[in-house]
Amino acid sequence: MQFSCKKMQTFAITAYLVICLSPIFVKFVQGNVDTGVMSKNKNRGKGSMWWGLAKAGEPNNISPTHPGVISLDKSVYGTLRRKQRRLSRENTGLLEAVARGVSLAISECQHQFRNQRWNCSIKNFSRGRNLFGKVVEKGCPETAFIYAITSAAVTHSIARACTEGTIESCYCQKHYSSPQQITDGKTKEVSTARRFEWGGCSDNVGFGIKVGREFVDTGERGKSLREKMNLHNNEAGRWHVQSLMRRECKCHGMSGSCTMRTCWMKLTNFRTVSDVLKERYDKPAHIAAHSLASSKPNKPHANRFPKGSTANSIPTKRENKRKHKYGFQLKPYNSEFKPPGDKDLVYYELSPAFCEKNPEFGIQGTYGRKCNGSSEGVDNCSILCCGRGFISQEVIVNERCNCRFHWCCDVQCDMCKVKKRIDTCV
Ligand SMILES: *[C@@H]1O[C@H](CO)[C@@H](O)[C@H](O)[C@H]1NC(C)=O
Ligand SMILES: *[C@@H]1O[C@H](CO)[C@@H](O)[C@H](O)[C@H]1NC(C)=O
Ligand SMILES: *[C@@H]1O[C@H](CO)[C@@H](O)[C@H](O)[C@H]1NC(C)=O
Ligand SMILES: *[C@@H]1O[C@H](CO)[C@@H](O)[C@H](O)[C@H]1NC(C)=O
């Protein structure tokens, strides 16, 4: 059967343009915003309210009168802390970047956990705090992952936004000044192959880390073990964004001789960051719950970022306070192990079982989950269905096939009937 998907494709591309490519303006409903920021102790450990910004990206929030304009639900804006609102006022475009960051974090989390018993499903929330459900009330590895990936995505998104010029208060980084110039024949020999200068436009990860940290860590004072866990995992997320940056260069010189190169630092694709964070989740560091972490005032957390990553030089009073907040060393659960490192995700409570329904932690169980009866991997039915077994159905589905690309910009496909087996946990 021949079938042209041209029309459908055009529609899809248009929708994509509107949603993804046009600068997204977030319009805030000013005034009459409830200022009661929920910062009371009883809410600590129940998640971060700003996650609710993900709601800004929902298609049903696009205002029909101004295409491309997203109205942010004022109840979400109302959940932001005073400092977060100040940051957004001072940095036009920041909130859009944060909102894009949370949405990215959610889709990456669901990608990484698509075949796991816990699949990072999102609640139909009204307030951001419960976006990931009650599982964040436990200091378990899933919670560690959620904090790390949301923090990483926000830093990534802010740094990218600087380069794209959508945050008014930052630019891309010109990076370091060039190394010394070639002056005579002697140095020329050794230096031809490797010589480069910083130039072009580096992604401003320094700004992404600094402002991301201020925004994301605002609610965490670092007093309780749970707050320390959150701070550590937030910082680990940012660390991976920074350490996975790579240098890109362009050659100069006569006829491609590449005697001189111009280089800049570029953020890696966020999928790479989420892959690495998932590896860390698979081997998380168990920290001691009984003893609160000792402080380590001489080794502020922020120092571990390579030189040039943070924009500050002389610490202000506020930064001293900040260093105090981050200056701690968590203790390993098993004293024979090394203390957790900067890149590790840390947790102190075991995960709840995700097999059965458990309303206490908002767990739906794995009933009805799709699995693969012939896979030896993580989507293996016997693992995903927790040994309850599965049912196998043969279905015929229509799929696009034999797609051809026509310049420019249509895709034409045939529709093919494909027989598929669908396995579902009982
Ligand atoms: C996660 O699993 C539940 C069933 O346990 C399912 O209803 C939900 O759609 C899944 N979410 C995602 C994002 O795959
Ligand atoms: C989710 O919430 C919206 C309102 O915010 C409501 O219209 C919708 O029916 C809800 N969906 C579900 C599945 O509960
Ligand atoms: C199930 O796993 C097998 C073996 O890994 C693979 O060949 C097959 O495509 C998978 N099926 C689905 C529906 O993912
Ligand atoms: C699924 O995993 C279990 C446990 O690891 C293993 O015993 C079983 O052979 C696997 N199933 C398939 C089809 O590979």
Side-chain angles (χ1 to χ4, degrees), residues 115 371-377 379-380 420-423:
N115 294 323
C371 59
N372 185 336
S374 50
S375 160
E376 293 167 14
D379 55 346
N380 175 329
K420 276 202 164 174
R421 204 191 67 218
I422 293 182
D423 301 327

PDB file of all heavy atoms in Angstrom, residues 115 371-377 379-380 420-423, ligand 3:
ATOM      1  N   ASN A 115      13.371   0.783  30.551  1.00  0.00           N
ATOM      2  CA  ASN A 115      13.255  -0.669  30.733  1.00  0.00           C
ATOM      3  C   ASN A 115      13.450  -1.106  32.184  1.00  0.00           C
ATOM      4  O   ASN A 115      13.711  -2.269  32.452  1.00  0.00           O
ATOM      5  CB  ASN A 115      14.291  -1.383  29.869  1.00  0.00           C
ATOM      6  CG  ASN A 115      14.007  -1.201  28.392  1.00  0.00           C
ATOM      7  OD1 ASN A 115      12.850  -1.191  27.985  1.00  0.00           O
ATOM      8  ND2 ASN A 115      15.048  -1.041  27.605  1.00  0.00           N
ATOM      9  N   CYS A 371       7.476  -5.575  28.056  1.00  0.00           N
ATOM     10  CA  CYS A 371       8.804  -6.128  28.256  1.00  0.00           C
ATOM     11  C   CYS A 371       9.163  -6.945  27.029  1.00  0.00           C
ATOM     12  O   CYS A 371       8.416  -6.976  26.061  1.00  0.00           O
ATOM     13  CB  CYS A 371       8.838  -6.975  29.515  1.00  0.00           C
ATOM     14  SG  CYS A 371       7.661  -8.343  29.506  1.00  0.00           S
ATOM     15  N   ASN A 372      10.291  -7.601  27.081  1.00  0.00           N
ATOM     16  CA  ASN A 372      10.724  -8.374  25.920  1.00  0.00           C
ATOM     17  C   ASN A 372      11.084  -9.788  26.369  1.00  0.00           C
ATOM     18  O   ASN A 372      12.106  -9.998  27.019  1.00  0.00           O
ATOM     19  CB  ASN A 372      11.916  -7.667  25.268  1.00  0.00           C
ATOM     20  CG  ASN A 372      12.348  -8.330  23.982  1.00  0.00           C
ATOM     21  OD1 ASN A 372      12.093  -9.523  23.768  1.00  0.00           O
ATOM     22  ND2 ASN A 372      13.005  -7.585  23.127  1.00  0.00           N
ATOM     23  N   GLY A 373      10.220 -10.729  25.992  1.00  0.00           N
ATOM     24  CA  GLY A 373      10.372 -12.108  26.452  1.00  0.00           C
ATOM     25  C   GLY A 373      11.605 -12.806  25.917  1.00  0.00           C
ATOM     26  O   GLY A 373      12.022 -13.833  26.473  1.00  0.00           O
ATOM     27  N   SER A 374      12.215 -12.269  24.849  1.00  0.00           N
ATOM     28  CA  SER A 374      13.389 -12.958  24.318  1.00  0.00           C
ATOM     29  C   SER A 374      14.668 -12.167  24.554  1.00  0.00           C
ATOM     30  O   SER A 374      15.716 -12.480  24.017  1.00  0.00           O
ATOM     31  CB  SER A 374      13.197 -13.235  22.830  1.00  0.00           C
ATOM     32  OG  SER A 374      12.793 -12.059  22.172  1.00  0.00           O
ATOM     33  N   SER A 375      14.570 -11.138  25.341  1.00  0.00           N
ATOM     34  CA  SER A 375      15.764 -10.324  25.586  1.00  0.00           C
ATOM     35  C   SER A 375      16.522 -10.813  26.816  1.00  0.00           C
ATOM     36  O   SER A 375      15.926 -11.253  27.799  1.00  0.00           O
ATOM     37  CB  SER A 375      15.358  -8.868  25.783  1.00  0.00           C
ATOM     38  OG  SER A 375      16.365  -8.171  26.448  1.00  0.00           O
ATOM     39  N   GLU A 376      17.830 -10.746  26.721  1.00  0.00           N
ATOM     40  CA  GLU A 376      18.634 -11.098  27.887  1.00  0.00           C
ATOM     41  C   GLU A 376      19.027  -9.848  28.664  1.00  0.00           C
ATOM     42  O   GLU A 376      19.687  -9.916  29.692  1.00  0.00           O
ATOM     43  CB  GLU A 376      19.901 -11.849  27.441  1.00  0.00           C
ATOM     44  CG  GLU A 376      19.572 -13.208  26.863  1.00  0.00           C
ATOM     45  CD  GLU A 376      20.766 -13.832  26.139  1.00  0.00           C
ATOM     46  OE1 GLU A 376      21.891 -13.344  26.315  1.00  0.00           O
ATOM     47  OE2 GLU A 376      20.537 -14.805  25.405  1.00  0.00           O
ATOM     48  N   GLY A 377      18.625  -8.728  28.152  1.00  0.00           N
ATOM     49  CA  GLY A 377      19.014  -7.463  28.776  1.00  0.00           C
ATOM     50  C   GLY A 377      18.070  -7.034  29.882  1.00  0.00           C
ATOM     51  O   GLY A 377      17.318  -7.855  30.433  1.00  0.00           O
ATOM     52  N   ASP A 379      15.425  -5.311  29.760  1.00  0.00           N
ATOM     53  CA  ASP A 379      13.989  -5.340  29.477  1.00  0.00           C
ATOM     54  C   ASP A 379      13.447  -6.772  29.472  1.00  0.00           C
ATOM     55  O   ASP A 379      12.282  -7.010  29.154  1.00  0.00           O
ATOM     56  CB  ASP A 379      13.679  -4.640  28.143  1.00  0.00           C
ATOM     57  CG  ASP A 379      14.470  -5.221  26.974  1.00  0.00           C
ATOM     58  OD1 ASP A 379      15.432  -5.967  27.228  1.00  0.00           O
ATOM     59  OD2 ASP A 379      14.119  -4.917  25.819  1.00  0.00           O
ATOM     60  N   ASN A 380      14.297  -7.708  29.816  1.00  0.00           N
ATOM     61  CA  ASN A 380      13.952  -9.109  30.039  1.00  0.00           C
ATOM     62  C   ASN A 380      12.692  -9.212  30.911  1.00  0.00           C
ATOM     63  O   ASN A 380      12.629  -8.662  31.992  1.00  0.00           O
ATOM     64  CB  ASN A 380      15.186  -9.718  30.736  1.00  0.00           C
ATOM     65  CG  ASN A 380      14.988 -11.145  31.175  1.00  0.00           C
ATOM     66  OD1 ASN A 380      13.889 -11.562  31.507  1.00  0.00           O
ATOM     67  ND2 ASN A 380      16.077 -11.882  31.188  1.00  0.00           N
ATOM     68  N   LYS A 420       4.006  -7.964  14.906  1.00  0.00           N
ATOM     69  CA  LYS A 420       4.841  -7.716  16.083  1.00  0.00           C
ATOM     70  C   LYS A 420       4.366  -8.528  17.262  1.00  0.00           C
ATOM     71  O   LYS A 420       3.168  -8.806  17.387  1.00  0.00           O
ATOM     72  CB  LYS A 420       4.767  -6.234  16.478  1.00  0.00           C
ATOM     73  CG  LYS A 420       5.724  -5.364  15.714  1.00  0.00           C
ATOM     74  CD  LYS A 420       5.987  -4.091  16.486  1.00  0.00           C
ATOM     75  CE  LYS A 420       7.215  -3.396  15.946  1.00  0.00           C
ATOM     76  NZ  LYS A 420       7.418  -2.095  16.564  1.00  0.00           N
ATOM     77  N   ARG A 421       5.300  -8.852  18.093  1.00  0.00           N
ATOM     78  CA  ARG A 421       4.930  -9.532  19.323  1.00  0.00           C
ATOM     79  C   ARG A 421       5.027  -8.526  20.457  1.00  0.00           C
ATOM     80  O   ARG A 421       6.005  -7.795  20.568  1.00  0.00           O
ATOM     81  CB  ARG A 421       5.885 -10.695  19.575  1.00  0.00           C
ATOM     82  CG  ARG A 421       5.283 -11.772  20.457  1.00  0.00           C
ATOM     83  CD  ARG A 421       6.339 -12.750  20.890  1.00  0.00           C
ATOM     84  NE  ARG A 421       7.302 -12.105  21.772  1.00  0.00           N
ATOM     85  CZ  ARG A 421       8.599 -12.361  21.756  1.00  0.00           C
ATOM     86  NH1 ARG A 421       9.102 -13.222  20.922  1.00  0.00           N
ATOM     87  NH2 ARG A 421       9.414 -11.736  22.593  1.00  0.00           N
ATOM     88  N   ILE A 422       3.975  -8.470  21.222  1.00  0.00           N
ATOM     89  CA  ILE A 422       4.005  -7.555  22.360  1.00  0.00           C
ATOM     90  C   ILE A 422       3.885  -8.359  23.647  1.00  0.00           C
ATOM     91  O   ILE A 422       2.938  -9.143  23.818  1.00  0.00           O
ATOM     92  CB  ILE A 422       2.872  -6.506  22.277  1.00  0.00           C
ATOM     93  CG1 ILE A 422       3.135  -5.588  21.077  1.00  0.00           C
ATOM     94  CG2 ILE A 422       2.800  -5.687  23.558  1.00  0.00           C
ATOM     95  CD1 ILE A 422       2.135  -4.495  20.899  1.00  0.00           C
ATOM     96  N   ASP A 423       4.857  -8.212  24.505  1.00  0.00           N
ATOM     97  CA  ASP A 423       4.846  -8.907  25.786  1.00  0.00           C
ATOM     98  C   ASP A 423       4.491  -7.924  26.888  1.00  0.00           C
ATOM     99  O   ASP A 423       4.980  -6.800  26.890  1.00  0.00           O
ATOM    100  CB  ASP A 423       6.230  -9.515  26.074  1.00  0.00           C
ATOM    101  CG  ASP A 423       6.653 -10.497  24.983  1.00  0.00           C
ATOM    102  OD1 ASP A 423       5.754 -11.149  24.424  1.00  0.00           O
ATOM    103  OD2 ASP A 423       7.854 -10.597  24.698  1.00  0.00           O
TER     104      ASP A 423
HETATM  105  C1  LIG B   3      13.526  -8.337  22.022  1.00  0.00           C
HETATM  106  O1  LIG B   3      14.869  -8.746  22.184  1.00  0.00           O
HETATM  107  C2  LIG B   3      15.394  -9.419  21.073  1.00  0.00           C
HETATM  108  C3  LIG B   3      16.772  -9.928  21.458  1.00  0.00           C
HETATM  109  O2  LIG B   3      17.510  -8.934  22.092  1.00  0.00           O
HETATM  110  C4  LIG B   3      15.424  -8.446  19.871  1.00  0.00           C
HETATM  111  O3  LIG B   3      15.925  -9.088  18.723  1.00  0.00           O
HETATM  112  C5  LIG B   3      14.003  -7.954  19.600  1.00  0.00           C
HETATM  113  O4  LIG B   3      14.010  -6.977  18.575  1.00  0.00           O
HETATM  114  C6  LIG B   3      13.408  -7.353  20.848  1.00  0.00           C
HETATM  115  N1  LIG B   3      11.998  -7.052  20.593  1.00  0.00           N
HETATM  116  C7  LIG B   3      11.453  -5.866  20.866  1.00  0.00           C
HETATM  117  C8  LIG B   3      10.018  -5.730  20.571  1.00  0.00           C
HETATM  118  O5  LIG B   3      12.104  -4.943  21.334  1.00  0.00           O
END
